[in-house]
Each structure stands twice: as C-alpha cells, then as structure tokens.
Amino acid sequence: MPGRYLAVGIFIVAGLSLFVLGIFLVGNRHEAFSQHVLLYSDFTDLDGLTKGSKVRVAGMDAGQVTQIHVPDSPTSRFRVQMRINEQLHGLVRTDSIVTIDTEGVVGETFLSIHSGSPGSPIAPPDSILQSKPPIAISDLMTHGLGVMDDADATLKLLGGKLNTSLDGVNVAVQNANDVLVGLKEGKGPAGMLLRDEKMADQIRDTMTNVQSTTSSLKQAASRMNGIVKDIQERQLPEKIDGTMTQVRAASTEANSTMQLVHQSLNQALGPDIDGVTAAQNISETLTNVNAATGNMAEDTEAIKHNFFFKGFFSRRGYYSLSSISPGQYRRNKLFVNANGRRSWFTSDALFQPGVHGTEELSAGGRQTIDAAIASYGDAVFQHPIIIEGYSDAGGPADQLARSYNRAFLVRTYLEARFPFVAKNVGVMPLSSTPPPGLNHDHWSGVCISVTEKK
Amino acid sequence: MSWSGRVFESVGKVGAFSARVLMDAFRPPFEIAQLSRQLAEVGNKSIALIVVSGFALGAVMTLHTRNTLVTFGAAAMIPAVQAVSFFVEIGPLVAGLLLAGRVGSGIGAVLANMRASEQIDAIESLSIDSFKFLVVPRVLACVIALPLLTLFMDFAGLLGGFLSEALASRISPELYLNRAFENLQWSNFIAPTLKTAVFGFIIGSVSSYFGFTTNKGAKGVGEAATNSVVIASLLIIVADVLLIKCIFFLFPDTAI
Amino acid sequence: MTISPNIAVQFKNVTKAFGEKRVLNDVSLHLEQGQVLCLLGRSGTGKSVTLKIIMALMRPDSGEVWVDHENLAGLSERGLSAVRKKLGYLFQDAALFDSLTLYENLALPLKRLTNKSKEEIDDKIHHVLLAVGLGSDSAKYPSALSGGMRKRAGLARALVLDPKILLADEPSSGLDRITASEIDELLLRCKEQHGTALIVVTHDVHGTRRIADRVAVLDRGDLVAFGSVEEVAQSENDVARRLIAE
Ligand SMILES: Nc1ncnc2c1ncn2[C@@H]1O[C@H](COP(=O)(O)OP(=O)(O)O)[C@@H](O)[C@H]1O
Ligand SMILES: [Mg+2]
C-alpha cells in the first residue's frame, strides 16, 4: 500500500526534523559552533557556582564555567575556568574584575566579568582575571536585627565620643589661642619668637588647621547623629557589619587624635627653659595634629565610600564620586571635558613624606595650590571641582590607595582654606592613568579639574 | 500456587517473552511490510492525541507555574521552566503513558482476539513465524514511534506554553524560544528523548505478551487489553526512575 | 490392519492431554488419498485438536502422525513447512485476518509459500473466489461479510494453494440448509476434480451421509467408531449410533 508508506514516511521525517530542530536550538544557545576563549579566576568562596554555570560579560551571556579546580588547602583558592565567546573577548581587559552574582533572590548563580578600562590591554587567552568575593544575600538576611542593635549601640557610643572629643578640641584651641595672645604680648619664655615673623605665620597657619579640624569633627559628629537617626527610621536589615568596623575604627582614631592634640598642646604650653626649642615644639606638634586630623577625616571619607551609606550621603547633599568607578570616570564626557580647566601638579611640587610613612602636603605645595585657585577667580566656588589623584609607585593597589590619599589631602586643604560648598568638591583616584584626550598619558601627583557648566 | 509465586512466574514469562522479542528482532526474515503497517497504526494514528494533549498540558502548566514564578520575580524563567519540564520529564512520561493507553490496549486486544479466533493458528498454518509476524513488528513500531511522538509532545507543549504566556505577557516568539532553550543542555534533550525507546519496548512487549499468550477465548480479549495498559503504565513509571538514575550516572551535569 | 500405499493421513496411537485433561486417548485412524473422512463427536471431544495435530499446530504427547508419507515428529521446521503446503485448513470460525481484505487474505499464503508472480496470484485468487461464489467481494474486509460468506472465504483461503489434503472444521455449522449443501457440493467437487483427501469435522448428519467415505466418532477422547457410514450406524457404541442417526 503506497499510501501507508507515504504516511509513515511523513511521520518519521517530521519526528526526525523536530529532533534536529531541538538539537539545533539547544546547541545554538551554547554556541557549540563558535570560537571560544578560556579565562581563569580565583575565588575563596564559590557561593554555589558549579560547572556549567553561566558567564556574563558586561551583562551579556557569553559562555559558561567549564572547570573548577578544588584547592587542597584552606589557604589556596578555587581556580575557575570559564569559556567565553570570542565576540565578547574585546570587552575583557586585564583590569576586568570577576564577581559571582545571583539572579534575583532565588535565581541561579553566575559569573560576571565586568568590562575593563579601555586603556588596558585585552586580557590574553588563558590569563587569570582579578576576582571580588561574592556578596551573600543570605548573610545579610540572617544577620537581620542583631546587626541593627549592634549598629545602634555603636553609633550612639560613637556620637557620644565625638561630642566629648569636640569639647576637648574646643578647649585645646582656646588654650592655643591664649598661648598666641601671650606670645604676642611678649610674655613667657617664648616671647622671643615674636621677632621671627615667619615663625609667627607658621603658627597662624597651623592654628587655622586646628580650627578646620574642629569643623571637620563637628561635621563628622552631625553625620553620625544623622546616620543613627536614619538607621532607626529605616530599620534596614542590611549588611552593616563592615561599616560598623570602619565606624569603630574611626571613633578610636578620633579618640587618639584628640589625645594627640591634648598632648601636643600640653607639651607646647609646658614650662621649657629653652625658648627656641619651645617654638619648634609648637610647630612640630601642630604638624602632628595636621597629620592626625587628616587621618580622621579620611576615616569619615571611608565611611562615605561604603556602599551602604552611599545613598544616605548623596541624599544629604554630600557630593560623592564614590559611585563612579575610575574606569567610568575616565569615559565620562561630563568630567573629562577638553573645555574644562585643569591644573596639573607633580607629586614633588605638592607633597612631602609624613610621619607614618604616609604623605602630607608640603608648605610649598599649599602655596602652589593657593596660587592655582586664585588664578581661577571667584567663579571657582560655584562650579563642581574634582581633584584627581595620581600615583605610579608600587602595584595597582598601592597606586590606587596613594592616588586617593593625594587627592584627599588636597581636598581637605581646599575645604578648610576656601569657602567651597562641600558637595561641589569631589575626589577621584585614578592610579597612574589620566582620562584619554588630555595630552597626559601618565601622571603622578594631582590634577584639579573645574567642570564648567555649559 | 501462592500469590507471590504467580507474580514471579509472570515476571519470568514476560522476561523470556521480551528476550525472545529482542533476539528475533535481529534475525531474518524481517517483516518490513508488517513494521510499516504497525508504524502507521502506532505512530500516525497517535499524533493527534499526542499533539492535542501536549498542547493542552503545556498551556495548563504555564497557567499554574506562572503565578509562583511571578511572585518570586522570576517571570523570565517561565519559558525555561516550561522547556526543561517538558523535554526532561513531562514529554517523555506523558507520551509514554498516553501511548500505553492507546496502543497498549489496542495491541493486547487485537492479539488476544487473533488468538481466540484462531487467526494466529491460521498464520502458523502458513508456516509463518507468528511471533515474528505479529509481535516483533508491533514492539519495534513502539520503539521507533515513541521517541518521535515524544518530540511532537515536547514541541506541542512548548507551543501551548508559549500561547498561554503570550496571552498573559505579550512575549515575542523569539524571546520565548531564546529563554526556553537557555537552560537546556544536549544531555537533557537527547537522553530523555531516547529513553522513551525503552518505554516503547515496554509497551510493545508487555501488551503483546498479554495478547499473544491468552487462551481464554473471547473473554480473554478485554482482560488482555486491561492488563496491557495497567502493567505497561506501571512498568513505564518504574523504568523511568531507573532510567533517570542511569542518565544522571552517564551525564552527571544533568543532576540538579 | 492393512495399510495401502495411498494413505494420506494416519494416526498411530495418538494421545494428547492439556494438563490433567486427556483430549485424545490412544487414537488410531487413517485416510486414503481422494477419500472423505467425516469426524463426528460432541463439542469439546477433541475434533479440532485432531485437525491441528495434522496441521502440526500442536504436537501429540505420544503416538505417531503421518501426513503424506511423512512422520511429523521427525520433521524440521522446513520439512513441516513443506508438508503444510500440501494442506488446506478451514478453521472453525474461518479465522480470516481481520486487518486484511479478502484479496489480501488469499494472497498471503500464495506470496509466502509459492513463487508465483503477481499476475498468477491475481488469476488464482479470482478463480478460487469465483468457485466459492465470492467473485465480487475481493476488496471487502472480513467484518463486512456474513457468516456464510466468511465460511466460504475461509474455504477459499484453504483451497488457494490447491492442497492435497483439505481439513475443514465445521464448514457448514450455523448455516441454513441451502448454504450448507452448497458448501458440501464444493467439498465434493474438490474430491472429484482434484482427488483431494478431506477430513471434515461436522455435526450435519445429512451432509455426512452425502459426502463421507469414512466416518470417525470421538467421545471424551476415545475413538469409539471408525468405518463407513453403515458400519458406524450399526456400531455397538450408543453415542456413535445416535450421532449418525437421521
Ligand atoms: N490450546 C489449548 N489449551 C488447553 N486446552 C485446549 C486447547 N485446545 C483445546 N483444548 C481443550 O481440548 C478440548 C477439545 O477441544 P476441541 O478439539 O477444540 O473441541 P471440539 O471437539 O469441539 O473441536 C476442549 O475441552 C478444550 O478445552
Ligand atoms: Mg472444534
């Protein structure tokens, strides 16, 4: 019966076509027929990542995890091999960072390769990319209210401490003023200093610094109060652990800073037979105060950078660039603008080695900055100013930390010396690579950029 | 004989019968014309049943899973859930059970009727090996047709799921297909589809056994049909468990 | 017992039992070529089993069965196949293949057991169907045929290979007298035209008296009478006498 054979033939052919279609659709998704690149990354915690998990490059499906090498000791890390589509390889640079992410709350775990900076070379095949440990949502949830209570207590403690410290600083500054008045009137063993105009200027300068420290501490205290209130209002069951450690550190730091101030002033005011030595004492100790208060302010800045408080600070009007990565900043047309005014300073011109192996602004550096700000005219106070820090010493992490520290020192100085609106001044650590198109391929030092609104 | 003794005896008989099918399937003469006739009977005549139930099942599946997935913010996973569940389990198992119902009862009844009305004797009287002529083509037809029918079921289910989802969220066919096959791997498409060949063998040999070996005359016909469906369905579900374990063993990636 | 060289079928002390139940008990009978043997007996006495043993569809538990000078017990599957080719079998309920048309029912034996060409097969089927009076029904399925037509169709299938020996299981039972005698005519014509030996299982006394050269009567497995119609009519056995009585 030919009719029967025809029907059976159609049935079989249709079924086999569906089979081929299925194989094609499944195979298509896995790009079995396209070119691939193998890359690696190391993780201490896989957070459920398995062989076959998806890999995304800049959010686009790019391949899968092909192998996981399990470490043989707790100190070494999991080596993850991933296979990504050749087409997306161009987005993966040597400074690309790999993170383990989760899709939604119940979704599956996948690897995210964040696209690197355009200046860095394309990551060669079989190279190892940097990784960042995963943020475990479950951790945040289990911590819940315990963290809240902890945060509350810590912040209250911190607020109290800051307030007492401020009182201490006020008293200290008052005392310092008295000394200066005494000096002017030629009383005491340091009276001879009056004849040295330069020394008098320096003392005035340092006193200004003490005052700026005071205002910075006041600011910090009101921020802390704000944070406490905010947390209490919002009942945020989120990961505050890290933040808390930083806040605690900041509070200890504030304490020790204040002790330093007291100690220094006590030393300066204490009876001394040799007048010259006393003057040097004052100058030296005030420098110490500067350095210490710089640390203090840095700590508050560190708090601001924490992702948790990011929204908090920006809502309160503290302009923060922390939400923008250096890479994004370099590409951003608003910040990197040929029309904007830029002043480039080398590190030698601004900084000198400080007490704890850190850097601090040199006297010459301050004058250089003053001169630059003066050249901008009054208009500078209305425009956003970004202080870009650069450093080329040490490894990538060192460069980043140092460039941040440099930008930060300049900003602290500017805010204390000139009437800048705090939210208008931002810092941006750029390691050693300035944004493209500015005729500077490589820099170590600071660049002050005034962004003119059009 | 005790109840359990009879069970073991039946198991042994079915086993020997299946072994004979396997051996005869590879020994000439091959009854090609009979095979084609049975393929038309098992395959072509089951397509409508399979496609319509697959479609309806697909639509219903989406209606049920949709709410839960949307609650978890996983609306994007609806196509993937649909595809994975159909290709991995629902398609193979439901197609197997439907075929056990439609074809298993048919084979059981037809063979029992042929036995009762001496048609099998008539075939033997022509010096035709009735086992090769009647049983082997039926079993082979089931083995060949069920994987193909499973594919019809899979894609009909996907189509049903798509239409149901498209009515709810206006998703485009391309996006649906992309998302549906995103989480499918070759091993969870090919292995479950091919495992239905085993289901087909179970349906064919179990129902042939009951039909071919009955000797109770006309009243054996209904009994053979019922036994075929019940035992074949049961064995399919049991075999499914074992086969899934085998697939996990062969393709460890598919284990969740 | 003298045995002529013209013997078509012979049973020597054949015994057959299903489990505990003895269906044939030490049965010995024989039939010469070109003769008609009518097998009588009440239902369930082993008449159909006797035919199936001849067709080698069943094997006896003991005793010998000779068909056309061949001992079935000693034959291979191929030898059995050769013997079966010489036999035609009309089953009790015709046993036509439900899934095949009448034409296909008749073509199957020809295709399987002969090397005839398509034309020869068509020709043969046409003739046989005409002979049984079903010339215009070749495309019908068995389910579309009446009881009498099915019997005749079964007979046609049994005759399509021109058998030397024809086994007919109740060819006329359940039919009206006219149809029954038509079938008897057909059987007689086979015997007369082709010299076929016939073993006919029947309950029809008139038919038996018309066609039988020999009569065998089975009762609960025993062969209680064997001989010509007259001999059986005067048998000592009560059952045999009553079965053949008009
Ligand atoms: N294949 C079989 N298995 C078991 N018993 C059978 C078989 N064939 C026939 N019998 C039994 O043998 C006896 C004789 O059957 P049969 O020859 O068909 O009777 P009848 O003389 O009416 O044709 C019956 O009791 C029947 O039950
Ligand atoms: Mg009978």
Side-chain angles (χ1 to χ4, degrees):
Chain A
M1 254 215 260
R4 192 179 69 224
Y5 282 108
L6 180 70
V8 170
I10 291 173
F11 168 64
I12 290 177
V13 168
L16 289 179
S17 313
L18 288 182
F19 191 65
V20 171
L21 176 69
I23 283 190
F24 177 74
L25 283 170
V26 172
N28 196 25
R29 294 299 316 168
H30 290 265
E31 279 114 19
F33 310 112
S34 63
Q35 295 277 307
H36 289 105
V37 184
L38 288 183
L39 291 167
Y40 297 85
S41 191
D42 296 334
F43 290 95
T44 12
D45 187 338
L46 286 181
D47 197 28
L49 195 78
T50 57
K51 218 171 128 183
S53 292
K54 267 187 278 184
V55 177
R56 289 183 174 167
V57 172
M60 181 171 179
D61 277 355
Q64 56 177 320
V65 172
T66 43
Q67 243 169 40
I68 294 176
H69 183 78
V70 181
D72 35 11
S73 88
T75 48
S76 37
R77 305 198 286 172
F78 291 95
R79 161 87 26 112
V80 175
Q81 184 194 61
M82 50 208 146
R83 197 177 63 182
I84 68 157
N85 196 328
E86 175 70 53
Q87 289 176 319
L88 289 159
H89 188 197
L91 294 179
V92 185
R93 301 299 167 111
T94 47
D95 63 349
S96 281
I97 290 179
V98 187
T99 55
I100 298 177
D101 292 333
T102 311
E103 238 171 300
V105 183
V106 293
E108 64 177 306
T109 309
F110 62 93
L111 268 190
S112 233
I113 305 179
H114 302 272
S115 44
S117 52
S120 316
I122 291 175
D126 299 323
S127 61
I128 300 170
L129 299 174
Q130 294 177 60
S131 68
K132 233 165 68 181
I135 298 166
I137 295 181
S138 53
D139 281 1
L140 301 186
M141 292 192 146
T142 39
H143 276 69
L145 283 172
V147 173
M148 282 303 305
D149 295 346
D150 199 14
D152 205 29
T154 315
L155 288 172
K156 274 191 184 136
L157 191 74
L158 181 63
K161 269 186 189 168
L162 280 174
N163 284 338
T164 359
S165 303
L166 282 175
D167 291 345
V169 170
N170 280 338
V171 174
V173 169
Q174 207 54 50
N175 286 346
N177 268 337
D178 289 350
V179 176
L180 286 178
V181 174
L183 286 176
K184 267 198 182 138
E185 288 167 2
K187 287 177 193 162
M192 58 188 293
L193 283 174
L194 258 182
R195 277 162 228 146
D196 188 350
E197 270 301 317
K198 225 171 133 192
M199 184 58 80
D201 277 350
Q202 213 178 335
I203 291 175
R204 219 168 273 127
D205 271 0
T206 46
M207 286 321 293
T208 324
N209 279 348
V210 172
Q211 271 161 353
S212 79
T213 309
T214 318
S215 78
S216 155
L217 279 172
K218 258 186 195 146
Q219 225 178 22
S222 76
R223 281 177 198 176
M224 286 310 149
N225 286 335
I227 294 170
V228 172
K229 243 177 79 194
D230 197 54
I231 289 182
Q232 282 164 342
E233 278 167 13
R234 291 205 286 172
Q235 293 269 310
L236 287 173
E238 298 193 28
K239 192 179 183 183
I240 317 183
D241 278 2
T243 317
M244 282 305 103
T245 342
Q246 282 184 350
V247 171
R248 274 197 201 104
S251 112
T252 347
E253 196 67 57
N255 257 0
S256 60
T257 307
M258 286 311 115
Q259 270 163 14
L260 217 65
V261 172
H262 280 296
Q263 200 185 328
S264 312
L265 288 174
N266 281 340
Q267 257 178 31
L269 297 171
D272 198 332
I273 314 145
D274 192 348
V276 182
T277 326
Q280 277 171 349
N281 262 348
I282 292 175
S283 148
E284 225 172 79
T285 47
L286 286 178
T287 319
N288 281 348
V289 172
N290 266 345
T293 49
N295 283 344
M296 167 67 199
E298 209 174 319
D299 285 327
T300 16
E301 197 62 26
I303 297 172
K304 277 173 62 177
H305 271 75
N306 189 291
F307 83 103
F308 169 57
F309 293 107
K310 223 188 278 176
F312 174 78
F313 280 109
S314 48
R315 260 196 294 120
R316 251 153 246 261
Y318 301 105
Y319 178 68
S320 170
L321 289 173
S322 54
S323 55
I324 302 173
S325 76
Q328 287 168 321
Y329 177 83
R330 286 194 192 95
R331 290 195 296 273
N332 194 311
K333 290 278 183 313
L334 179 70
F335 300 120
V336 183
N337 184 337
N339 301 332
R341 278 197 272 170
R342 288 178 168 271
S343 309
W344 298 86
F345 307 99
T346 62
S347 53
D348 297 343
L350 296 188
F351 304 105
Q352 66 190 32
V355 271
H356 306 300
T358 56
E359 285 181 319
E360 58 188 41
L361 272 180
S362 63
R366 285 175 203 166
Q367 283 161 8
T368 315
I369 294 172
D370 287 356
I373 295 297
S375 76
Y376 289 141
D378 286 352
V380 75
F381 303 113
Q382 272 92 56
H383 295 300
I385 293 181
I386 294 146
I387 299 149
E388 300 167 352
Y390 296 100
S391 169
D392 57 4
D398 293 337
Q399 290 186 5
L400 194 69
R402 237 168 224 278
S403 59
Y404 175 70
N405 190 43
R406 283 175 176 173
F408 192 78
L409 285 174
V410 173
R411 177 210 177 139
T412 315
Y413 174 73
L414 283 181
E415 279 188 349
R417 184 144 173 84
F418 299 104
F420 283 111
V421 184
K423 72 173 183 181
N424 269 357
V425 186
V427 293
M428 180 50 63
L430 291 176
S431 300
S432 63
T433 321
L438 298 172
N439 303 326
H440 288 80
D441 295 340
H442 180 98
W443 198 250
S444 175
V446 164
C447 177
I448 298 179
S449 161
V450 181
T451 332
E452 309 227 11
K453 287 172 191 149
K454 299 227 174 88
Chain B
M1 204 184 291
S2 73
W3 180 84
S4 62
R6 276 205 304 275
V7 169
F8 283 119
E9 194 190 354
S10 313
V11 170
K13 280 181 179 167
V14 175
F17 188 87
S18 308
R20 191 173 161 199
V21 172
L22 277 181
M23 274 159 23
D24 276 1
F26 297 102
R27 255 202 334 241
F30 303 110
E31 302 284 354
I32 303 297
Q34 277 297 102
L35 177 60
S36 143
R37 177 187 290 275
Q38 292 308 321
L39 266 177
E41 186 66 36
V42 175
N44 292 48
K45 292 194 181 164
S46 304
I47 289 182
L49 170 74
I50 292 284
V51 167
V52 171
S53 7
F55 184 85
L57 206 56
V60 169
M61 254 280 289
T62 291
L63 291 180
H64 279 307
T65 51
R66 191 162 205 290
N67 267 346
T68 317
L69 289 175
V70 168
T71 311
F72 281 103
M77 282 174 68
I78 293 170
V81 166
Q82 185 81 9
V84 169
S85 46
F86 258 85
F87 280 86
V88 171
E89 198 47 64
I90 293 184
L93 190 63
V94 175
L97 293 178
L98 283 177
L99 203 73
R102 202 198 88 84
V103 172
S105 64
I107 291 178
V110 165
L111 291 184
N113 180 51
M114 290 183 85
R115 174 66 79 193
S117 63
E118 298 183 308
Q119 289 178 53
I120 292 179
D121 284 331
I123 288 171
E124 291 284 339
S125 75
L126 298 176
S127 282
I128 298 173
D129 184 341
S130 60
F131 194 84
K132 275 195 167 167
F133 191 74
L134 297 174
V135 175
V136 174
R138 282 177 164 78
V139 178
L140 281 187
C142 289
V143 169
I144 295 170
L146 190 51
L148 300 178
L149 288 171
T150 300
L151 289 164
F152 280 99
M153 181 106 198
D154 290 345
F155 281 92
L158 209 59
L159 181 67
F162 164 68
L163 288 185
S164 174
E165 176 64 16
L167 284 180
S169 72
R170 311 227 159 279
I171 191 169
S172 78
E174 290 85 2
L175 183 60
Y176 192 89
L177 266 190
N178 269 347
R179 285 188 176 160
F181 286 93
E182 204 167 37
N183 291 322
L184 263 190
Q185 313 204 336
W186 275 345
S187 48
N188 28 55
F189 171 63
I190 297 176
T193 306
L194 293 187
K195 86 179 171 191
T196 58
V198 178
F199 296 173
F201 183 78
I202 290 173
I203 296 171
S205 52
V206 166
S207 53
S208 296
Y209 170 79
F210 283 111
F212 197 73
T213 59
T214 183
N215 58 359
K216 290 187 186 161
K219 90 172 181 339
V221 175
E223 211 170 90
T226 311
N227 282 343
S228 300
V229 176
V230 173
I231 303 296
S233 307
L234 195 70
L235 285 184
I236 283 177
I237 294 171
V238 173
D240 196 26
V241 178
L242 300 178
L243 286 171
I244 288 170
K245 277 284 164 206
C246 291
I247 293 174
F248 283 174
F249 180 74
L250 291 176
F251 306 96
D253 292 358
T254 52
I256 294 137
Chain C
M1 196 187 327
T2 53
I3 292 180
S4 87
N6 212 17
I7 289 283
V9 176
Q10 183 173 25
F11 271 46
K12 289 183 187 168
N13 308 98
V14 170
T15 301
K16 175 73 181 173
F18 293 107
E20 293 294 289
K21 185 174 178 186
R22 287 208 156 192
V23 178
L24 295 180
N25 195 9
D26 198 20
V27 171
S28 298
L29 52 79
H30 58 90
L31 173 68
E32 280 173 39
Q33 194 60 47
Q35 286 199 332
V36 177
L37 168 68
C38 281
L39 200 53
L40 276 71
R42 288 157 67 179
S43 289
T45 48
K47 305 181 297 289
S48 297
V49 168
T50 307
L51 294 192
K52 283 180 186 171
I53 286 175
I54 296 169
M55 198 64 187
L57 297 175
M58 286 175 182
R59 281 178 182 279
D61 297 334
S62 67
E64 288 177 13
V65 179
W66 292 75
V67 177
D68 200 31
H69 311 293
E70 303 262 21
N71 184 353
L72 295 185
L75 290 179
S76 65
E77 192 59 41
R78 181 174 297 186
L80 284 179
S81 177
V83 170
R84 283 183 187 133
K85 250 187 245 183
K86 300 176 198 162
L87 299 174
Y89 196 144
L90 166 57
F91 286 87
Q92 192 166 343
D93 295 314
L96 298 170
F97 303 122
D98 293 333
S99 54
L100 304 180
T101 63
L102 194 45
Y103 171 89
E104 288 166 336
N105 263 286
L106 269 64
L108 191 64
L110 290 168
K111 280 183 188 161
R112 289 288 176 149
L113 298 176
T114 70
N115 296 323
K116 285 191 164 69
S117 70
K118 174 102 172 65
E119 290 74 36
E120 287 172 313
I121 290 175
D122 283 355
D123 200 48
K124 182 77 201 169
I125 292 173
H126 183 67
H127 272 101
V128 173
L129 283 180
L130 274 184
V132 298
L134 293 172
S136 57
D137 300 303
S138 69
K140 284 186 178 157
Y141 281 92
S143 53
L145 301 178
S146 71
M149 289 161 91
R150 290 163 67 90
K151 277 269 157 68
R152 280 184 277 156
L155 185 57
R157 192 177 64 187
L159 292 174
V160 83
L161 287 174
D162 292 326
K164 263 179 110 172
I165 302 159
L166 179 64
L167 311 174
D169 199 345
E170 304 191 18
S172 54
S173 64
L175 300 179
D176 60 277
R177 273 207 122 124
I178 300 170
T179 318
S181 64
E182 274 172 19
I183 288 187
D184 287 344
E185 289 297 327
L186 266 172
L187 295 177
L188 272 180
R189 236 190 294 154
C190 284
K191 172 187 151 182
E192 276 147 22
Q193 290 178 0
H194 305 286
T196 313
L198 284 95
I199 299 181
V200 180
V201 174
T202 184
H203 299 299
D204 177 8
V205 186
H206 295 287
T208 305
R209 286 178 177 274
R210 259 178 77 194
I211 63 174
D213 299 308
R214 307 215 128 219
V215 174
V217 180
L218 284 169
D219 187 35
R220 291 195 208 104
D222 293 316
L223 183 67
V224 293
F226 181 53
S228 65
V229 177
E230 290 73 30
E231 283 166 8
V232 173
Q234 283 147 34
S235 159
E236 302 144 28
N237 189 282
D238 186 42
V239 177
R241 268 187 278 120
R242 278 164 65 188
L243 277 171
I244 202 74
E246 271 182 274

